[in-house]
Amino acid sequence: MPTGLFHTKYRTDERIFQTLWVRAWLVIFFILMLIYPFIVSKALLSFTNVALIFILGSIGVNLLTGFAGQITFAHGAFIGVGAYSSALFMIHFKIPFLLSMVLAGFFTSFVGMIFGLPSLRVKGFYLILATMAAQLIIEWCMYNLDFITQGSTGLIVPKASIMGFVFDSDRKYFYLLFAVVTLGVTFARNLFRTRVGRAFIAIRDRDIAAELLGVNLWKYKLMAFGLSTFYAGITGSLWGHYVGIISPEHFPLWLSLYYLGIIIVGGLGSILGSIFGAIFMTALPEILRITASYFGRIYPGIIGAITGLQEAVFGLIIIAFLIFEPDGLAERWRTIKAYWKLWPFSY
């Protein structure tokens, strides 16, 4: 009897989940997710909801930066565009939640492609400056167009609801988030099995060579910005309806840097890396809080010092990953899997 994994058709060779064992684990995972809100604490469920929102947003920035090679410092602002537009669609136009979320994604995509136009002529450091300018312009609009955004006072966002079912608790919102994130992950994972996804990767690796091979740089760079900011718009919509009130303070430049940190930690050009990075970076403040609480019992004055170290720890983690694990947590996970797959053999 032959052993190992053999394929006689291209279709089976291109499957994402190659074996029956992997597909069985996937079914078990989804079953666990169905009962997850009923077996964890309220605090852990709230943490999970925030992590799911960050996962969706980090996939968007990874599509643009990790796969297409177009660095962005404006992802936080685009998330803000999605949050405000979704809320305004519901408040002023009485559009149902699901439709307003999708429209927010398309509107944010339109705005993102406008600010993505400089990517057609510049790259590298100059593209960083262009996207940073987009962040500052959008942030200024959030603060000063107070007749639309309510300025720094904040905008009250209606609760998400579908056909009369209101997502007014963490448990209910978890299922909404999990469904949207699952769709987002599935689409992104399959995107890079298509012509569009491979064009993104070609532009990232060698844009001049890609153009010589017939890849339309103008088309695919704009498409990368459009897809990335569509994800940002959906993320902003889900975030706004989850927290209930949004203001410009929620979408600063720091948020854009945070998302870049997520994909560096998780792994550039990896959907799994976006998931790992989002979970890790969402857990980081909680780890610091627990550490501060533990040492605070022994040294009461140390609580404020440890809590204030969050930005410093964030920077140190980014530097450490760039030096010691430049391919991120996703590559470490692949290494661990390969080791146990071959164990106890060394080859």
Side-chain angles (χ1 to χ4, degrees):
M1 293 292 292
T3 58
L5 186 62
F6 298 94
H7 299 289
T8 58
K9 297 179 180 179
Y10 183 73
R11 181 183 297 274
T12 59
D13 187 48
E14 282 295 299
R15 283 176 180 167
I16 295 176
F17 307 107
Q18 294 278 343
T19 65
L20 181 62
W21 180 251
V22 173
R23 290 193 286 273
W25 273 112
L26 186 66
V27 172
I28 293 171
F29 171 74
F30 276 101
I31 292 173
L32 288 175
M33 288 298 100
L34 288 176
I35 63 175
Y36 179 82
F38 298 95
I39 60 177
V40 299
S41 65
K42 188 174 181 180
L44 185 56
L45 185 58
S46 177
F47 163 82
T48 306
N49 286 347
V50 174
L52 287 171
I53 293 172
F54 273 106
I55 286 171
L56 193 64
S58 62
I59 290 173
V61 74
N62 217 341
L63 289 176
L64 182 62
T65 302
F67 286 100
Q70 309 298 302
I71 193 167
T72 174
F73 272 37
H75 204 68
F78 293 133
I79 289 174
V81 172
Y84 276 104
S85 56
S86 180
L88 293 170
F89 284 144
M90 287 190 71
I91 293 170
H92 295 298
F93 299 102
K94 308 302 179 185
I95 297 175
F97 162 71
L98 273 182
L99 183 56
S100 70
M101 181 180 69
V102 174
L103 288 175
F106 281 113
F107 179 73
T108 309
S109 179
F110 173 73
V111 174
M113 285 192 288
I114 291 175
F115 284 109
L117 288 173
S119 71
L120 307 178
R121 300 297 299 271
V122 299
K123 56 184 177 180
F125 175 73
Y126 299 101
L127 183 58
I128 292 174
L129 292 180
T131 55
M132 189 179 294
Q135 168 75 35
L136 298 176
I137 290 170
I138 294 173
E139 204 172 330
W140 181 90
C141 291
M142 291 179 190
Y143 275 106
N144 292 279
L145 300 181
D146 50 3
F147 62 95
I148 298 175
T149 65
Q150 304 301 317
S152 57
T153 304
L155 182 68
I156 303 297
V157 183
K159 289 290 183 183
S161 63
I162 299 176
M163 299 179 67
F165 183 84
V166 182
F167 297 91
D168 54 359
S169 68
D170 281 345
R171 182 177 294 174
K172 294 176 182 177
Y173 213 80
F174 168 82
Y175 292 111
L176 173 65
L177 289 172
F178 184 72
V180 176
V181 170
T182 300
L183 289 174
V185 170
T186 303
F187 175 82
R189 183 65 180 83
N190 283 281
L191 176 66
F192 297 97
R193 297 146 56 85
T194 67
R195 179 185 180 89
V196 173
R198 297 190 185 282
F200 287 173
I201 295 171
I203 292 171
R204 177 197 66 190
D205 292 341
R206 289 287 186 275
D207 56 346
I208 296 176
E211 188 174 24
L212 291 174
L213 290 172
V215 175
N216 188 328
L217 298 188
W218 187 88
K219 171 185 174 181
Y220 287 110
K221 282 186 178 182
L222 272 189
M223 192 179 293
F225 268 93
L227 280 173
S228 173
T229 49
F230 180 83
Y231 271 80
I234 299 295
T235 302
S237 174
L238 292 170
W239 169 257
H241 293 287
Y242 180 61
V243 298
I245 183 170
I246 52 175
S247 67
E249 288 82 2
H250 288 145
F251 314 105
L253 178 61
W254 165 251
L255 182 62
S256 299
L257 298 176
Y258 197 80
Y259 272 105
L260 282 175
I262 286 175
I263 63 171
I264 290 172
V265 169
L268 288 166
S270 169
I271 302 302
L272 186 62
S274 298
I275 297 172
F276 284 161
I279 294 172
F280 180 88
M281 297 303 286
T282 307
L284 181 62
E286 292 299 313
I287 294 171
L288 289 177
R289 184 186 61 80
I290 293 171
T291 303
S293 177
Y294 175 77
F295 285 103
R297 300 191 193 102
I298 306 172
Y299 307 102
I302 204 172
I303 296 179
I306 294 178
T307 305
L309 284 175
Q310 181 175 339
E311 287 80 5
V313 171
F314 172 80
L316 289 173
I317 287 173
I318 298 301
I319 293 171
F321 269 90
L322 288 173
I323 295 173
F324 300 108
E325 196 64 71
D327 293 324
L329 294 173
E331 183 60 31
R332 180 54 51 190
W333 171 250
R334 282 189 286 267
T335 302
I336 293 170
K337 282 203 309 179
Y339 173 82
W340 288 108
K341 185 177 181 179
L342 297 174
W343 187 87
F345 304 104
S346 59
Y347 53 86

